[in-house]
Amino acid sequence: MAGKRKTNPAGSTNSFRGDVLRVLGVLKVATADQIQRIGAPHLSYRHTDKKTQSEQKTARTASHTGALSDMRKHGLAENGGSTETGRGCET
């Protein structure tokens, strides 16, 4: 089946959506960065070849950001405003 996924247009996997649900089930409000650090801490050292810390963070959290996007489309999460560190998401 070629093309974009209809149910998860951001291409998220069950694993990354599971991380999001697990973290938001406890914290209720979290940023994509916090979800990545708690749900998949082994990914914290990925993309260290990027030049700036911002580029590293964007690359490291891309999968969880996509999972959050797909979950928003299904009504399972929503933007909860912003925090000091970035945009928060809540269940």
Side-chain angles (χ1 to χ4, degrees):
M1 181 189 233
K4 246 183 168 175
R5 299 176 190 186
K6 291 185 180 180
T7 55
N8 296 314
S12 65
T13 63
N14 287 339
S15 176
F16 289 118
R17 289 190 304 278
D19 286 347
V20 171
L21 289 174
R22 202 169 31 258
V23 172
L24 291 178
V26 174
L27 298 180
K28 303 297 183 205
V29 177
T31 64
D33 182 50
Q34 291 166 328
I35 292 168
Q36 182 276 313
R37 289 175 186 268
I38 294 168
H42 60 283
L43 300 180
S44 292
Y45 294 99
R46 289 177 75 188
H47 309 293
T48 54
D49 60 331
K50 304 291 184 199
K51 290 182 181 179
T52 67
Q53 197 168 11
S54 176
E55 289 174 339
Q56 291 173 11
K57 179 180 173 182
T58 300
R60 182 173 41 81
T61 61
S63 298
H64 288 96
T65 301
L68 281 166
S69 176
D70 286 336
M71 292 174 71
R72 278 189 215 101
K73 287 180 178 28
H74 294 290
L76 299 172
E78 62 183 44
N79 282 338
S82 60
T83 64
E84 288 180 20
T85 59
R87 296 194 62 83
C89 191
E90 56 189 46
T91 56

